[in-house]
Amino acid sequence: MSEKICVAVLYGGYSAEREISLKSGKVVFDHLPSDTFDKYLVDVRTDGLFVQTLQGEVPAVLSPFGFRTEDAEYTFDVAFIAIHGTPGEDGIVQGMLDMLRVPYTTGGVLPMALTFSKAECNAYLAKMGFMVPKGIYTTEAVDPQKVGEELGFPVFVKPAKSGSSVGVSKVTTPDDLPKAIEVARQIDKLILIEQMVKGIEVSCGVTSVFGEVRALEITEIVPAGEFFDYNAKYSGKSQEITPARIRPEAAEYIKRTVEEVYKLLNLSGLCRIDFIVPDRSDPVLIEINTVPGLSEQSILPRQAAYLGIGLPELFSACIFNALKRQA
Ligand SMILES: Nc1ncnc2c1ncn2[C@@H]1O[C@H](COP(=O)(O)OP(=O)(O)O)[C@@H](O)[C@H]1O
Ligand SMILES: [Mg+2]
C-alpha cells in the first residue's frame, strides 16, 4: 500500500446545487497534490455513494469506508466535503462520517445543521448579540398587511434551508407576497420573511485551517440584477471586487465578526459569511456558507489568491487540519 493519504472528495449531493458541487469537487480533486494524496471523487446521490475510478464507477463500501476493485481494497483516511446544500452542508454526511470514524473537512453535525437553517441560525445569532435582519420565521399563512406593518416593504422571502438563492424573492408590494411565499414553501415549509437591508453586499472568508481562526479578505458583490439571485451568481455578469470598497471601520467589524461567529458556532474548514453594509450603520449578517463554492472563480478561492494562497495549498491545509482535529 502507498504511504499517501487516501482522500475521498465527496461531491454532487442531491439539492438544486448539485451541478455547482460537481464543479467544486472536480476543482478540489484536480488541485490536491498527487505526491501527497491518493484522491478519488465520490459522487453522493440518492441511490448511493459511487467512487469514480479509472475502470469506471464503483459503489463505495461503508465499513471500512473505501471501495474494492478486482485486485485491491482501498480505505479512505479522510473525506473532503465539497457538497453544497444537502446532504453535505447540513450535517447529514457529517453524521455518517462520524459513525464511520472518518475525519472530514467541515464543522460537525450541530454547527452544520444549525447554519443550514437560516431561521434557527439567525434566531441564535440574534440572541448572542449579532446583527441579523429583522424577520418573521413561519410555517403558517401570513397576512401581507401585518408584514407591512412589522417589517415594511420591500422584504426578502426565502426558504429556511436553501442555497444559491433558489426560492429567494425580493417582494416590493403586499400583493406579490403570497406568490413569493408559495415559491419558497416549495423548497422548505419553514420560511423567512426579512426586512430588506439596503447597502453594499459583501462576503468574507474565514478559516482555521492554517492554525488560528482568521478572516480572509472581504469581497464586494455588485449583482447584475436586482439582487444576488441564481442568475447573477453564475452568469458571470456580477462584479466581484476584492478587497471591498467599504469604510475601514466596517471592514474591521466584519473581520472581527466572522472570527467570533466561527468560534462561537464551532465551525471548521473553509467558511464564507455574507453581510450587507449600510451607509451609516454596522454591517448586518445575512448568512453563513459552510461549504462555499471552490472553483477558481469562486469568492473564497479568490480571496485566498489575493492573500497569496493557491488552491493546492488551501485544499491540502483543509485535509491536514481535518486529520489533526481527529488525532
Ligand atoms: N435581508 C436582506 N436584505 C437585502 N438583501 C437580501 C436579504 N436577504 C437576502 N438578500 C439578497 O438575496 C441573496 C440570496 O439570499 P441568501 O440569504 O444569501 O440565500 P442563499 O443561501 O440562497 O444564498 C443575497 O445574496 C442578497 O443579495
Ligand atoms: Mg447567499
Side-chain angles (χ1 to χ4, degrees):
M1 283 304 254
S2 82
E3 295 297 306
K4 294 185 197 175
I5 299 164
C6 191
V7 183
V9 178
L10 304 184
Y11 77 151
Y14 29 85
S15 77
E17 293 180 282
R18 176 175 170 82
E19 292 306 314
I20 298 143
S21 165
L22 292 177
K23 285 190 195 149
S24 287
K26 185 72 174 34
V27 172
V28 172
F29 176 82
D30 287 344
H31 288 88
L32 281 174
S34 310
D35 52 355
T36 313
F37 303 106
D38 268 333
K39 49 193 181 172
Y40 296 91
L41 282 166
V42 180
D43 188 358
V44 177
R45 305 198 296 255
T46 44
D47 57 335
L49 279 66
F50 298 90
V51 185
Q52 322 283 314
T53 72
L54 290 176
Q55 287 77 43
E57 193 172 89
V58 299
V61 178
L62 284 193
S63 195
F65 189 37
F67 64 100
R68 295 191 190 110
T69 60
E70 263 173 25
D71 34 51
E73 271 189 45
Y74 299 82
T75 302
F76 296 128
D77 298 311
V78 58
F80 193 115
I81 299 175
I83 299 170
H84 313 304
T86 193
E89 202 168 354
D90 57 358
I92 292 180
V93 157
Q94 288 76 10
M96 178 194 82
L97 293 169
D98 283 348
M99 289 187 70
L100 301 175
R101 309 211 171 274
V102 176
Y104 48 86
T105 51
T106 68
V109 172
L110 179 63
M112 297 302 281
L114 176 65
T115 49
F116 197 61
S117 188
K118 295 184 176 102
E120 285 87 348
C121 189
N122 283 3
Y124 182 65
L125 290 174
K127 186 174 160 47
M128 299 309 284
F130 294 96
M131 277 279 283
V132 296
K134 188 173 175 200
I136 299 168
Y137 314 144
T138 181
T139 53
E140 314 275 313
V142 287
D143 174 4
Q145 195 73 33
K146 264 196 159 160
V147 170
E149 282 160 21
E150 222 170 291
L151 306 176
F153 284 91
V155 292
F156 274 82
V157 178
K158 33 183 146 165
K161 296 185 282 298
S162 81
S164 289
S165 302
V166 177
V168 177
S169 319
K170 177 179 170 182
V171 178
T172 38
T173 66
D175 289 350
D176 294 338
L177 193 60
K179 177 85 207 315
I181 291 176
E182 200 188 303
V183 170
R185 278 245 164 85
Q186 273 165 15
I187 296 169
D188 196 335
K189 282 202 208 77
L190 178 60
I191 61 155
L192 282 76
I193 305 172
E194 275 182 358
Q195 202 164 55
M196 174 173 159
V197 183
K198 264 179 99 172
I200 300 173
E201 183 163 352
V202 300
S203 191
C204 185
V206 52
T207 189
S208 61
V209 299
F210 297 109
E212 301 219 318
V213 177
R214 273 285 138 79
L216 298 176
E217 197 35 81
I218 305 174
T219 299
E220 174 181 344
I221 294 152
V222 187
E226 271 281 302
F227 69 100
F228 204 36
D229 64 8
Y230 189 90
N231 269 331
K233 281 181 180 168
Y234 301 110
S235 66
K237 288 191 193 127
S238 295
Q239 244 187 306
E240 291 160 5
I241 302 161
T242 310
R245 300 163 301 180
I246 54 175
R247 310 185 304 274
E249 316 86 77
E252 260 322 295
Y253 178 99
I254 287 169
K255 287 187 176 168
R256 196 175 63 238
T257 303
V258 296
E259 291 173 0
E260 281 172 11
V261 168
Y262 190 100
K263 286 182 205 158
L264 174 75
L265 298 183
N266 201 13
L267 295 170
S268 193
L270 308 174
C271 296
R272 229 193 58 222
I273 307 188
D274 303 340
F275 294 81
I276 292 179
V277 186
D279 264 357
R280 288 164 199 283
S281 47
D282 283 340
V284 179
L285 191 156
I286 297 291
E287 70 148 346
I288 303 174
N289 302 284
T290 54
V291 184
L294 296 174
S295 75
E296 286 98 333
Q297 298 79 36
S298 300
I299 295 170
L300 190 144
R302 288 192 5 210
Q303 293 174 350
Y306 177 82
L307 299 174
I309 304 161
L311 293 184
E313 190 189 343
L314 187 66
F315 298 150
S316 301
C318 290
I319 299 211
F320 292 129
N321 183 60
L323 291 167
K324 195 175 77 198
R325 274 202 298 154
Q326 184 210 31

